[in-house]
Each structure stands twice: as C-alpha cells, then as structure tokens.
Amino acid sequence: MTERMILIARETLELELYEASRLSDRLGEQFVNAARAVLACEGKVIVSGMGKSGHIGKKIAATLASTGTPAFFVHPAEALHGDLGMIESRDTMLFISYSGTAKELDLIIPRLQEKAVTLIAITGKSDSPLAKAALAILDISVEREACPMRLAPTSSAVNTLMMGDALAMAVMQERGFNEEDFARSHPAGALGARLLNRVHHLMRTGKQLPVIADIATVMDALLELSRTGLGLVCVTNTHQQVVGVFTDGDLRRWLVEGGQLEAVICDAMTTHCSVLQTETRATEAKEMLMKKRISAAPVVDENGQLVGAINLHDFHQAGIL
C-alpha cells in the first residue's frame, strides 16, 4: 500500500511537471499582448474564475497587487449579482476558464463589451467563446490531467498558476518594480523592516535620549548612563553638536586608571566617535555599527546637531536582524 501511494504521487508530479514544461513554448505574441494590456491598464486588473480556477485566480490577483499592478479578485457569480458595478472601462479583466464556456460568461462578456473593458483569457480552448472575445489568450491546455479519472483540475491548475506568475513577473520587470517598491506593499514583513526603515524611525529621542553638556562631570554621565540604559551618553557643545560620547567601556577604563567622578567629562569621553545620519537606511546603519564593533551611536541631522541615539537592540526590536 505504501509503495502504491508513492508510485501514484510520483506519477502525479511527473505528469504535472511534463505539462508545465510545455508552457514556455507558448510564450509569444499573445503573451506579449496580454502583458501590454496589463501595463496599459489605467484602472485595476480584475481576475475572475469559477471553482478551482477561482482559487488560482485569487493567488494571481494577490501576486499582481503585490508586484505593482493594482488587482483584485471578483467571483463570477457575485459579478452577476452586483459586483459588475465595480468594473469600469479603465479596467482590464483576466478571466480564467479551462473550457472557456463557463455559463456565467454568457452574461459577463456582453456587459464587458458594453463597457469596453479589455478582456484577457486564460484558457485551454483557443476556439472557445471566452477566447474569441478576448484581446489576448494565454494557453494553459494540457494533454492529460494528473487525476486518474482525468477530471479534477490538476495539471491545468498548475499551468494556470504558472502562467499567471509568468505574466506578473514580466509586467513587474517591465515596470521597473524593485525591492523597495515591493517592501512598500509588505510594510509589516521582514523585507519591509529591512528596506523601509530609516534611522529616524528607530532612534531614541526626548527623555530616552542620553545627553549631557560638555561642561558636565563624569558623575553626570554615569547617572545618565544608568537612567537610559543605552550604553552610551552623547556629549554636546552649546550648539547641540556632538563633541564626543561616553560609554560603559569609557567609564570602566576611567575608573581603573584612577579617574575621579568629579572630573569634567571632556577628560574622559571618546572624542572621535561615529555618528549616524537620520535618513540613513536602518540596515546600513546597523552594518556600520557591526563593522566598527560598537553597540550604539548618536544620530545627527543635516546640520550636525544631535537629534537622537540608537543601539543594536533598537534594530533587533524593529525586526532588522
């Protein structure tokens, strides 16, 4: 029984892989026409399909939307009960139907033609009513479904998904859609945290900012270190410019060498310190700290004035690992 299940599973995969391998030979003028229609769309791409085609269609719509093409899925039955009102002449419809004869099409196609909505067909039948009404046809036909009864959409469902991905990727690259654009569509994800966050989004400000004047004492710096827990105190002059930093390490060295807590901070601080700019990408800022083997740094604006401070823990909390 175990060997038989493995054999069936292997045959299923091999059949689907075979059918999928034939798709690339079909990429030609029709595919280019479909891609151009999506690129030229001034509204949204509406993806639609019944049954398994609809499930795949939802994924295609999501892929398009996350790669720079405004898109959403509309169920054909819902379209016939009011949702057609969401579709405008500026939109493009991508309808998925292997047979191209879904009964809903009898009512949907005339309405699309009335509104002059561009229609793209993903179908296995190039002579179907859907194909004949479409500006472009994406051929997902298969010789055989992987289902042993040759009924359940299996090979054709895989072909539909792959053709949808091919269209989305071609359009995405033609738009010049890049990593940062992708991150804007995924601001809560790891990529969004890595690409969108700047230093000023994460830095500590206000009462959380450890800072003392350059006329303060080492004791003042010690108290500020303890109060904020950043591991660093920024030392500024009368113009709020950073003239140095005082760290936990500086404190230990000062005390070991017999320094007094009443001494002026300028005698104990590190003068040639690293600073970060507010608009620096957070990933780049973290890499700079790691490269210089420091755990924290002051943040300055374009005038060199202190506006915040940040340490490695702040990056980790933001999901920048």
Side-chain angles (χ1 to χ4, degrees), residues 66-230:
S66 69
T67 54
T69 299
F72 62 88
F73 177 83
V74 170
H75 193 282
E78 297 294 338
L80 293 175
H81 290 272
D83 283 359
L84 272 174
M86 296 190 294
I87 303 173
E88 302 175 333
S89 59
R90 305 185 318 133
D91 299 328
T92 294
M93 173 164 273
L94 179 64
F95 202 99
I96 307 167
S97 172
Y98 188 84
S99 68
T101 59
K103 63 180 182 179
E104 290 80 9
L105 287 168
D106 293 339
L107 296 173
I108 289 176
I109 289 176
R111 303 293 84 74
L112 297 178
Q113 292 171 338
E114 288 173 2
K115 293 185 176 185
V117 173
T118 300
L119 177 62
I120 300 171
I122 297 185
T123 182
K125 305 295 181 181
S126 59
D127 58 349
S128 64
L130 172 62
K132 291 177 180 178
L135 171 73
I137 305 165
L138 301 179
D139 181 6
I140 49 137
S141 60
V142 297
E143 293 178 359
R144 179 183 169 185
E145 297 285 8
C147 168
M149 296 179 294
R150 303 193 180 190
L151 296 175
T154 44
S155 302
S156 61
V158 172
N159 276 12
T160 303
L161 179 62
M162 293 181 68
M163 188 64 80
D165 282 346
L167 179 65
M169 296 304 101
V171 169
M172 177 185 76
Q173 295 203 46
E174 191 66 23
R175 287 190 194 282
F177 194 84
N178 58 31
E179 274 192 341
E180 193 156 330
D181 295 321
F182 188 87
R184 290 193 181 96
S185 299
H186 303 73
L191 182 63
R194 184 166 65 86
L195 293 180
L196 296 183
N197 279 320
R198 306 282 175 171
V199 169
H200 70 84
H201 292 130
L202 311 179
M203 68 185 186
R204 305 187 189 193
T205 59
K207 292 183 178 180
Q208 292 182 313
L209 175 61
V211 56
I212 58 172
D214 54 5
I215 59 173
T217 66
V218 175
M219 174 59 79
D220 295 326
L222 171 59
L223 294 174
E224 193 71 352
L225 277 174
S226 301
R227 183 185 70 83
T228 60
L230 186 69

Side-chain angles (χ1 to χ4, degrees), residues 265-278:
I265 191 62
C266 291
D267 296 336
M269 69 183 185
T270 297
T271 53
H272 299 291
C273 62
S274 298
V275 296
L276 296 172
Q277 301 294 320
T278 55

